[in-house]
mmCIF file of all heavy atoms in Angstrom:
data_model
loop_
_atom_site.group_PDB
_atom_site.id
_atom_site.type_symbol
_atom_site.label_atom_id
_atom_site.label_comp_id
_atom_site.label_asym_id
_atom_site.label_seq_id
_atom_site.Cartn_x
_atom_site.Cartn_y
_atom_site.Cartn_z
ATOM 1 N N TYR A 1459 -42.414 -38.925 41.643
ATOM 2 C CA TYR A 1459 -40.979 -38.821 41.360
ATOM 3 C C TYR A 1459 -40.709 -38.952 39.856
ATOM 4 O O TYR A 1459 -39.822 -38.287 39.311
ATOM 5 C CB TYR A 1459 -40.210 -39.882 42.129
ATOM 6 C CG TYR A 1459 -39.992 -39.523 43.585
ATOM 7 C CD1 TYR A 1459 -40.508 -40.314 44.614
ATOM 8 C CD2 TYR A 1459 -39.251 -38.390 43.921
ATOM 9 C CE1 TYR A 1459 -40.301 -39.972 45.937
ATOM 10 C CE2 TYR A 1459 -39.042 -38.056 45.250
ATOM 11 C CZ TYR A 1459 -39.568 -38.854 46.265
ATOM 12 O OH TYR A 1459 -39.359 -38.510 47.567
ATOM 13 N N ARG A 1460 -41.468 -39.831 39.183
ATOM 14 C CA ARG A 1460 -41.285 -39.953 37.740
ATOM 15 C C ARG A 1460 -41.629 -38.638 37.031
ATOM 16 O O ARG A 1460 -40.966 -38.237 36.075
ATOM 17 C CB ARG A 1460 -42.151 -41.089 37.197
ATOM 18 C CG ARG A 1460 -41.550 -42.456 37.439
ATOM 19 C CD ARG A 1460 -42.214 -43.513 36.564
ATOM 20 N NE ARG A 1460 -43.620 -43.663 36.918
ATOM 21 C CZ ARG A 1460 -44.067 -44.511 37.830
ATOM 22 N NH1 ARG A 1460 -43.218 -45.300 38.492
ATOM 23 N NH2 ARG A 1460 -45.366 -44.608 38.093
ATOM 24 N N GLU A 1461 -42.652 -37.964 37.499
ATOM 25 C CA GLU A 1461 -43.029 -36.686 36.900
ATOM 26 C C GLU A 1461 -41.944 -35.638 37.130
ATOM 27 O O GLU A 1461 -41.604 -34.850 36.232
ATOM 28 C CB GLU A 1461 -44.354 -36.209 37.497
ATOM 29 C CG GLU A 1461 -44.851 -34.916 36.857
ATOM 30 C CD GLU A 1461 -46.191 -34.479 37.425
ATOM 31 O OE1 GLU A 1461 -46.773 -35.232 38.233
ATOM 32 O OE2 GLU A 1461 -46.622 -33.363 37.064
ATOM 33 N N ILE A 1462 -41.371 -35.647 38.346
ATOM 34 C CA ILE A 1462 -40.295 -34.693 38.650
ATOM 35 C C ILE A 1462 -39.087 -34.983 37.780
ATOM 36 O O ILE A 1462 -38.457 -34.084 37.219
ATOM 37 C CB ILE A 1462 -39.934 -34.768 40.144
ATOM 38 C CG1 ILE A 1462 -41.097 -34.229 40.991
ATOM 39 C CG2 ILE A 1462 -38.658 -33.987 40.415
ATOM 40 C CD1 ILE A 1462 -40.888 -34.399 42.484
ATOM 41 N N ILE A 1463 -38.728 -36.260 37.651
ATOM 42 C CA ILE A 1463 -37.574 -36.632 36.815
ATOM 43 C C ILE A 1463 -37.832 -36.264 35.361
ATOM 44 O O ILE A 1463 -36.936 -35.797 34.645
ATOM 45 C CB ILE A 1463 -37.281 -38.133 36.968
ATOM 46 C CG1 ILE A 1463 -36.793 -38.429 38.392
ATOM 47 C CG2 ILE A 1463 -36.235 -38.574 35.951
ATOM 48 C CD1 ILE A 1463 -36.626 -39.897 38.691
ATOM 49 N N GLY A 1464 -39.078 -36.443 34.905
ATOM 50 C CA GLY A 1464 -39.409 -36.049 33.535
ATOM 51 C C GLY A 1464 -39.230 -34.559 33.315
ATOM 52 O O GLY A 1464 -38.720 -34.122 32.273
ATOM 53 N N SER A 1465 -39.653 -33.765 34.314
ATOM 54 C CA SER A 1465 -39.452 -32.308 34.209
ATOM 55 C C SER A 1465 -37.969 -31.956 34.165
ATOM 56 O O SER A 1465 -37.527 -31.077 33.412
ATOM 57 C CB SER A 1465 -40.129 -31.599 35.383
ATOM 58 O OG SER A 1465 -41.527 -31.856 35.390
ATOM 59 N N LEU A 1466 -37.190 -32.676 34.998
ATOM 60 C CA LEU A 1466 -35.752 -32.434 34.984
ATOM 61 C C LEU A 1466 -35.147 -32.743 33.612
ATOM 62 O O LEU A 1466 -34.311 -31.997 33.098
ATOM 63 C CB LEU A 1466 -35.064 -33.279 36.063
ATOM 64 C CG LEU A 1466 -35.327 -32.887 37.521
ATOM 65 C CD1 LEU A 1466 -34.691 -33.902 38.458
ATOM 66 C CD2 LEU A 1466 -34.773 -31.497 37.813
ATOM 67 N N LEU A 1467 -35.577 -33.849 33.025
ATOM 68 C CA LEU A 1467 -35.044 -34.229 31.716
ATOM 69 C C LEU A 1467 -35.433 -33.230 30.630
ATOM 70 O O LEU A 1467 -34.654 -32.964 29.702
ATOM 71 C CB LEU A 1467 -35.531 -35.626 31.350
ATOM 72 C CG LEU A 1467 -34.970 -36.779 32.198
ATOM 73 C CD1 LEU A 1467 -35.579 -38.105 31.781
ATOM 74 C CD2 LEU A 1467 -33.449 -36.823 32.084
ATOM 75 N N GLU A 1468 -36.643 -32.673 30.726
ATOM 76 C CA GLU A 1468 -37.046 -31.652 29.748
ATOM 77 C C GLU A 1468 -36.144 -30.428 29.829
ATOM 78 O O GLU A 1468 -35.718 -29.874 28.803
ATOM 79 C CB GLU A 1468 -38.499 -31.250 29.987
ATOM 80 C CG GLU A 1468 -39.507 -32.325 29.598
ATOM 81 C CD GLU A 1468 -40.932 -31.870 29.866
ATOM 82 O OE1 GLU A 1468 -41.108 -30.709 30.332
ATOM 83 O OE2 GLU A 1468 -41.859 -32.648 29.617
ATOM 84 N N GLU A 1469 -35.843 -29.993 31.047
ATOM 85 C CA GLU A 1469 -34.978 -28.828 31.211
ATOM 86 C C GLU A 1469 -33.551 -29.153 30.783
ATOM 87 O O GLU A 1469 -32.857 -28.312 30.200
ATOM 88 C CB GLU A 1469 -34.995 -28.345 32.667
ATOM 89 C CG GLU A 1469 -36.333 -27.810 33.122
ATOM 90 C CD GLU A 1469 -36.789 -26.631 32.288
ATOM 91 O OE1 GLU A 1469 -35.919 -25.865 31.790
ATOM 92 O OE2 GLU A 1469 -38.008 -26.452 32.103
ATOM 93 N N VAL A 1470 -33.103 -30.397 31.076
ATOM 94 C CA VAL A 1470 -31.780 -30.803 30.631
ATOM 95 C C VAL A 1470 -31.709 -30.810 29.103
ATOM 96 O O VAL A 1470 -30.709 -30.399 28.500
ATOM 97 C CB VAL A 1470 -31.402 -32.178 31.210
ATOM 98 C CG1 VAL A 1470 -30.146 -32.733 30.541
ATOM 99 C CG2 VAL A 1470 -31.191 -32.083 32.714
ATOM 100 N N ASP A 1471 -32.789 -31.279 28.472
ATOM 101 C CA ASP A 1471 -32.827 -31.303 27.013
ATOM 102 C C ASP A 1471 -32.769 -29.890 26.447
ATOM 103 O O ASP A 1471 -32.069 -29.622 25.463
ATOM 104 C CB ASP A 1471 -34.102 -32.012 26.541
ATOM 105 C CG ASP A 1471 -34.152 -32.124 25.036
ATOM 106 O OD1 ASP A 1471 -33.307 -32.851 24.468
ATOM 107 O OD2 ASP A 1471 -35.015 -31.472 24.423
#
Side-chain angles (χ1 to χ4, degrees):
Y1459 281 119
R1460 281 196 296 270
E1461 183 178 355
I1462 292 174
I1463 293 173
S1465 300
L1466 290 174
L1467 292 177
E1468 289 180 1
E1469 294 300 329
V1470 169
D1471 183 66

